[in-house]
Amino acid sequence: MTNAKAPSRKGAKGEGRGLTIFFFLKAIGMALSQIWANKTRSFLTALGIIVGVASVTAVIAALTGLKAKVLSEFESVGAARLYVFPNRPDNVPRAKFPWEKCRLKVSEAQAIMDQCPSIKGISPIVDLPMSVESDTELIDGMTVNGIWPAWHDAVGRKVMRGRPFSQIDIDTARQVALVNEAAVTELKIDTDGNGGLGEHILLGGRRFLVVGVVETTQARMLGMNSSEAEIFIPFSVAEKLLDGWYFMQFAAIATSPETAEEAKAEVEYVMRRQRGLQPDDPDTFRVAALDQYINQFKSLASGVTAIAGGIVGISLLVGGIGIMNIMLVSVSERTREIGLRKAVGATSAAILLQFLLEAVTLTVLGGIAGLVIGKLMAVSLTYIPGANLEQADVPAWAVILSIVFSAGVGVAFGMFPAYKASRLDPIEALRHE
């Protein structure tokens, strides 16, 4: 007599896994049928989740768009650019480091250019407050900048019309000027349709010829001057006009973004040597790389996004409380059903899982609906004029986080009603009216 072959352990595991998947699918199907049977109540219950997810999604999309806009402005200037500023050390006697010793000098800019192999170009920039006058207009107290020809590469400002300054302009101290489009408009110097080229303006009573028009950047908007007009003159001319107190800075560009940190170290070394600073002396200048500002802004933007998302996400917790309340009502209404299922062999774990999956399904559906609404809100943000949110979009991580968080709310707030249902006594449940 032959014995029947016992099922293999591998086959038993596969069969058990198949039954588990079938049970989950069946439980989700029952949850969907319960949600559909009470459509209005389910919608009102999930409304808190829908509003919460939509709000969080829209806020994250707006902040993401704003972050992308600001970073694009930063990166358009270039991550390979450095700026050197005078800086009087704190907690040091003023007599040891007076402002005159901290102020930058032209010789230091030349030393940086000559002795820093990672620096491709540098320009001192000096600010001169002047009255600017055309044939018909007068602007008092405008800041006129003295620059070297390398300024264009150092700050990433191109000449749109005309020509940039040449080394001959610097060497011979020619009274020529560059202006931006705002200056052409405010001074009304486009009289012959040449965009202002070839026109003459008076700077502090001196006559200058406009030889070029440079592009305007939004960085100018960060200044305190209400006028957007900008005027530049050769640095050698500006030096002759310096009288008393003045502010000078350096703008430099490294050979590549990868060498920006190396260029910064070289500039610091040359500056300390030029100033004769001892090893224990503090720096009397400050070197700032643009990439460090970009990284600082990214960190700040990520923090603001997390805080704003957390504040708006409180509505998700409110929605979770609504889920718990309605699930408790559902347990009360279906007490006889629970008793009947237990009477025919359903385990407490099966009852708990059924109600828990119902809560999770409801919250996940609410989360998906909230994501759709949030996406529509994000698209509408891109059409708001002047908001600078053209790049507003819902990142993939926000989509995943919203679904996961919605499911987590379902588990957290559905657990108590599900546990209560699983602990019902079948006899008492069948007697419930």
Side-chain angles (χ1 to χ4, degrees), residues 39-58:
K39 293 183 287 293
T40 303
R41 187 173 73 179
S42 298
F43 170 73
L44 293 175
T45 303
L47 191 58
I49 301 295
I50 295 172
V51 171
V53 172
S55 302
V56 171
T57 303

Side-chain angles (χ1 to χ4, degrees), residues 14 63 67 104 114 116 133 146 160 181 191 217 221 233 249-250 258 319 323 380 394 407:
L63 291 173
K67 175 183 175 182
L104 301 182
D114 295 339
C116 296
E133 186 176 359
M160 301 169 59
E181 288 282 6
T191 56
T217 64
M221 299 300 293
I233 61 176
Q249 60 179 301
F250 300 156
E258 291 73 23
I323 294 287
S380 66
V394 182

Side-chain angles (χ1 to χ4, degrees), residues 78-84 112 116-120 252-269 287-295:
R81 293 185 169 88
L82 306 172
Y83 295 89
V84 184
I112 290 172
C116 296
S118 298
I119 294 295
K120 184 168 65 174
I253 182 169
T255 52
S256 69
E258 291 73 23
T259 61
E261 282 300 319
E262 185 177 346
K264 181 180 177 183
E266 291 173 359
V267 170
E268 290 173 345
Y269 173 77
V287 182
L290 192 59
D291 61 340
Q292 76 184 66
Y293 291 114
I294 293 175
N295 293 332

Side-chain angles (χ1 to χ4, degrees), residues 62-75 297 301 388 390-392:
L63 291 173
T64 301
L66 185 61
K67 175 183 175 182
K69 178 70 175 178
V70 174
L71 285 177
S72 66
E73 291 294 332
F74 267 129
E75 290 167 358
F297 176 78
N388 291 325
E390 295 82 3
Q391 301 181 61

Side-chain angles (χ1 to χ4, degrees), residues 23-340:
F23 178 76
F24 267 94
L25 294 176
K26 187 72 174 176
I28 292 174
M30 292 177 62
L32 290 173
S33 65
Q34 286 293 330
I35 292 171
W36 184 253
N38 300 279
K39 293 183 287 293
T40 303
R41 187 173 73 179
S42 298
F43 170 73
L44 293 175
T45 303
L47 191 58
I49 301 295
I50 295 172
V51 171
V53 172
S55 302
V56 171
T57 303
V59 168
I60 290 176
L63 291 173
T64 301
L66 185 61
K67 175 183 175 182
K69 178 70 175 178
V70 174
L71 285 177
S72 66
E73 291 294 332
F74 267 129
E75 290 167 358
S76 67
V77 180
R81 293 185 169 88
L82 306 172
Y83 295 89
V84 184
F85 305 97
N87 181 52
R88 205 185 76 79
D90 295 330
N91 304 320
V92 176
R94 187 178 297 272
K96 183 176 181 180
F97 292 111
W99 177 249
E100 289 73 17
K101 293 186 67 174
C102 301
R103 195 158 51 185
L104 301 182
K105 304 175 183 64
V106 181
S107 59
E108 294 169 339
Q110 190 61 55
I112 290 172
M113 190 65 234
D114 295 339
Q115 301 174 30
C116 296
S118 298
I119 294 295
K120 184 168 65 174
I122 189 171
S123 171
I125 303 172
V126 65
D127 300 338
L128 297 173
M130 286 185 176
S131 62
V132 181
E133 186 176 359
S134 65
D135 291 339
T136 59
E137 301 296 322
L138 172 65
I139 301 177
D140 285 320
M142 177 179 288
T143 299
V144 177
N145 300 119
I147 59 173
W148 280 356
W151 173 86
H152 298 282
D153 288 333
V155 301
R157 301 282 296 277
K158 298 178 181 178
V159 174
M160 301 169 59
R161 296 189 298 276
R163 67 171 180 85
F165 292 149
S166 66
Q167 191 59 43
I168 296 177
D169 295 327
I170 303 296
D171 294 340
T172 60
R174 285 181 178 174
Q175 293 193 174
V176 291
L178 299 175
V179 299
N180 68 343
E181 288 282 6
V184 173
T185 302
E186 293 182 27
L187 293 171
K188 298 180 181 178
I189 57 176
D190 187 9
T191 56
D192 299 326
N194 56 3
L197 296 178
E199 299 290 339
H200 287 85
I201 56 176
L202 297 179
L203 304 179
R206 294 170 178 260
R207 184 180 172 90
F208 284 77
L209 174 67
V210 176
V211 296
V213 178
V214 299
E215 60 182 351
T216 302
T217 64
Q218 292 190 4
R220 180 67 177 177
M221 299 300 293
L222 299 175
M224 298 300 293
N225 197 334
S226 60
S227 173
E228 297 180 32
E230 295 178 278
I231 297 178
F232 306 92
I233 61 176
F235 190 86
S236 55
V237 178
E239 277 187 300
K240 295 180 179 180
L241 302 178
L242 293 178
D243 183 20
W245 191 93
Y246 64 89
F247 177 79
M248 185 191 301
Q249 60 179 301
F250 300 156
I253 182 169
T255 52
S256 69
E258 291 73 23
T259 61
E261 282 300 319
E262 185 177 346
K264 181 180 177 183
E266 291 173 359
V267 170
E268 290 173 345
Y269 173 77
V270 170
M271 286 291 295
R272 288 187 64 87
R273 191 170 64 177
Q274 283 288 309
R275 298 191 166 202
L277 296 175
Q278 299 301 315
D280 56 342
D281 287 337
D283 290 339
T284 55
F285 58 90
R286 181 166 58 90
V287 182
L290 192 59
D291 61 340
Q292 76 184 66
Y293 291 114
I294 293 175
N295 293 332
Q296 288 175 2
F297 176 78
K298 285 180 179 178
S299 300
L300 177 63
S302 299
V304 171
T305 302
I307 293 172
I311 293 173
V312 179
I314 293 175
S315 56
L316 286 173
L317 299 180
V318 177
I321 295 173
I323 294 287
M324 184 171 64
N325 288 337
I326 206 65
M327 290 303 298
L328 286 172
V329 171
S330 180
V331 170
S332 179
E333 289 178 346
R334 295 159 61 187
T335 301
R336 285 180 62 82
E337 175 195 333
I338 296 169
L340 185 60

